[in-house]
Amino acid sequence: MSQQGYVAAPPYSQAQAGMGGYSAGFGNPPPQSHYGAYGSPPQGYSAPPTGKVNLLLLSSVLKLASFIFPISGPYGAQMAGPQMAGPQSGAFPGGFPGGPAQMAGPPQKKLDPDSIPSTTQVIEDDQAKRGGQVYVTNIRGQVPPLVTTDFTVQDQGNASPRFMRCTTYSFPSTADLAKQCKVPLAAIIKPFATVPKNETPLYIVNHGETGPIRCNRCKAYMCPYMQFIDGGRRYQCGFCSCVNEVPAQYFQHLDHMGRRMDLYERPELSLGSYEFIATLDYCKNNKPPNPPAYIFMIDVSYNNIKSGLVKLICEELKTLLDRLPKEEGAEPSPIKVGFVTYNKILHFYNVKSALAQPQMMVVSDVAEMFVPLLDGFLVNFQESRAVVNNLLDQIPDMFADTNESETVFAPVIQAGVEALKAAECSGKLFIFHSSIPTAEAPGKLKNRDDRKLVGTEKEKTLFQPQRGVYEQLTKDCVAQGCCVDLFLFPNQYVDIATMGDVPSHTSGSIYKYSNFQVEVNGPQFVSDLRRDVEKSIGFDAIMRVRTGTGFRATDFFGAIYMNNTTDVEMAAVDCDKAVTVEFKHDDTLSEDWLALVSQCALLYTTIGGQRRLRIHNLSLNCSSQLSELYKSCETDALINFFAKSAYRAMLTQPLKTVREILVNQMAHMLACYRKSCASPSAASQLILPDAMKVFPVYMNSLLKTATLVGSTELSTDDRAFHRLLVNAMGVEETQVLLYPRLIPLHTMDVSSEVIPAPVRCSEERLSESGMFLLENGLSVFLWLGQACPPDLIQNLFSVPSLGHLPSEGMSLPVLDNAHSRKIHSIISSISQQRATSMKLLIVKQKDQSEMLFRQHLVEDKGLHGGASYMDFLCYVHREIRQLLT
């Protein structure tokens, strides 16, 4: 293996250890005594009217790494509460008692919003302190820069934070400490994360015919945590302490420090992440795998033909098939392609290169699905280009006069799996589908969108997939390494909870374009499809997370399938998918046990059909001091964990209970910090750990998400869709989703390359004469204030003033002036950072469409229930005081 330009620094001390943590508490609801101190929280939670909140001016004092500010008022003991609005259905726990009351004590100054912890400030400070720097991973348990900070990683023994982030980088040494602080101990792993061009790609290690060297007892792979002893003839495993013989071909002498002489020549001894070439023992049936296949399955029912979607897909595929992913330096792509169209029946196409015309074969018996041809269905695009392009030209015309509006769905997936089985390869199905499958066939669905269930014990059934055939399909897909990507184009309810179930267990992606129109949604769809086809991906993957003594991985969240408690099965794994892993203690660690190690091993098939093992190692600190744990917490990782665990819990528990558990656990985490780590101070002060000072704003935002808030005004499909999206997200995606960027554009310097600094996500930051861009990774809004300067409107829209713009259906033209170029450049650079294409929505202040924009102003009161950030802080403070007394 070429080692050109490969340098590693000496590793840190190699203490051996494990990895662990405390549960999120979404098993059973907490016993009533949890709420006993403050009574059972009422259903409604509505904030007091603005202006009537009577609180002391908050002063932010950073002391002993704590964020401290005095709060007294309606939630403190000193005063009775002001007049409250009536309860709102579907808000989260902690409604305040309603009813008028006399204010006690002298009038006090109104709270200053600038004095409460600011997310934008925290992001800005981290960028100023750590932005543009090289982050070297040679120190155990160091907290990486925030996901929002721009930095470069140099791997020197621990995996890059692009691959692994933790909720805290210092785990408690006993289960009792973990239980006491209630901080979940978890890692968010993105095994295929994109490595920027200025960082070294992963090295590939070949240990020869005997395969990768691993511990005989726990099966951990060779890594920097293995301790070589006995002159280099044996090594002690850093995970289970077992002493193993070093194979003769791997032997190397040790230096005077006890380190191998070839330490810096071997990635597996000096780096946190690398890949091993796997031997036939790691392949199905001990045979090398075939390269994967992509099958494009197009719903040609009336809606998709009429909207122009089918024509758009066929046109786009002609150029896209030239851009199929391939191995570095390989030409052409080894991926084979196949095509199916369907409505109530399925049409397969023979596109063998020897044919002059493509041939169609119809399967109308959808109950017993089979693939009517083997030879000529999956082909190499370069060889069959003429026949494939001919087919793509013909499809829109073939079905131009169709009146068929009914569709099947499960048989389509079944057909794809059968085709991959026959070809003995893994692969991906791209399904373009428009409506709820109501045709007589396995997997037929009925409309079960009953909004009357919202706010009741049965609300959870709206998000539970309909079982039966889809459960079996998931198993078949995972066993074959068949990933399902679903592009939905619904005009009404389609039961996304069920239709998205197979994609979300096969590590697939789900895209949704409601009321699709080519001119409105076309560019967004085409951009998503391109990225989806081109992105780096591995197939037929299985992941195992090993930890040192004392801890074990107990729970896994993500677009994954699990047949047992340890193996995470993924039909495919791509650069966007993240798995959140929770750890718990299974043993008490001794006081001198300073480190714990974890290793994520991912076995997968490359695009070229090679079996490989991708290894990510991470070592953390272990401490009996809770102050160490709080000091090294990462808020963005914590909220990713809470979002995923809450979104799973809502399938089995009432939403009200889920929301109560979230608030209760956060209050416990903060109360424990105050009790165990903070300096004594007045009860009227709210004290937050410095590393978690903006945690409440993220938690409040999570509680107000459409999925958790529970309002009859919200679409069930939208809520289910959002739930499935978050389940697969990494830390970066959940961070911006729960605290969107609000960027002022009216004051920007058009000659500068820099994106203007975001402001706090609140209505108070908007100005009538301003223009703001808001993005959350899924949507992007351009908000125009009523008094927006006419010259700015002229430069951007080529009309004399705001009044000349229509109320809806606006687009942003590309004009030849500095303002227009600058805004398009900002939108483009934001889009490049995100996993999906974002449709731009332009909204005018006071127009009806502004409601869509306002629901993303997460520091304000929720449109469908939920408190403002300020009121939530006060409520949490009251909960903490109750717990402490």
Side-chain angles (χ1 to χ4, degrees), residues 433-448:
H433 191 90
S434 65
S435 57
I436 191 164
T438 52
E440 280 308 323
K444 172 184 175 178
L445 297 177
K446 58 182 189 295
N447 187 332
R448 56 190 186 115

Side-chain angles (χ1 to χ4, degrees), residues 559-589:
I560 55 174
Y561 180 77
M562 297 199 70
N563 215 6
N564 55 38
T565 55
T566 53
D567 294 327
V568 178
E569 295 183 63
M570 294 178 274
V573 54
D574 65 45
C575 53
D576 300 322
K577 300 291 184 300
V579 180
T580 299
V581 184
E582 188 180 7
F583 301 98
K584 286 189 187 157
H585 290 75
D586 60 2
D587 212 347
T588 301
L589 299 177

Side-chain angles (χ1 to χ4, degrees), residues 453-528:
L453 299 180
V454 172
T456 71
E457 289 277 317
K458 289 189 173 170
E459 183 174 4
K460 57 179 179 275
T461 59
L462 295 173
F463 305 102
Q464 294 165 353
Q466 296 181 42
R467 292 289 174 201
V469 64
Y470 291 104
E471 219 167 353
Q472 187 55 46
L473 270 180
T474 297
K475 285 181 186 165
D476 294 347
C477 284
V478 172
Q480 190 54 41
C482 168
C483 165
V484 179
D485 277 1
L486 180 59
F487 294 80
L488 280 170
F489 307 87
N491 293 340
Q492 54 201 26
Y493 175 79
V494 290
D495 193 357
I496 286 181
T498 302
M499 293 192 74
D501 195 45
V502 177
S504 69
H505 282 99
T506 58
S507 305
S509 303
I510 306 168
Y511 303 87
K512 177 168 164 284
Y513 313 90
S514 298
N515 304 311
F516 181 85
Q517 294 171 278
V518 169
E519 51 290 346
V520 179
N521 315 82
Q524 183 194 5
F525 159 63
V526 165
S527 168
D528 280 337

Side-chain angles (χ1 to χ4, degrees), residues 410 443 500 724 747 779:
L724 294 174
T747 51
S779 319

Side-chain angles (χ1 to χ4, degrees), residues 301-303 343-344 402-407 434-436 438:
S301 62
Y302 177 74
N303 276 349
N343 39 47
K344 277 204 309 199
T402 186
N403 289 319
E404 186 54 73
S405 59
E406 282 198 313
T407 56
S434 65
S435 57
I436 191 164
T438 52

Side-chain angles (χ1 to χ4, degrees), residues 742-753:
L742 182 63
I743 301 167
L745 299 178
H746 49 286
T747 51
M748 66 183 177
D749 175 2
V750 290
S751 60
S752 162
E753 294 279 296

Side-chain angles (χ1 to χ4, degrees), residues 314-333:
C314 293
E315 281 302 313
E316 184 52 37
L317 284 178
K318 284 187 219 167
T319 53
L320 197 48
L321 293 174
D322 269 324
R323 306 221 290 265
L324 293 169
K326 50 182 183 274
E327 300 267 11
E328 202 73 32
E331 286 291 336
S333 170

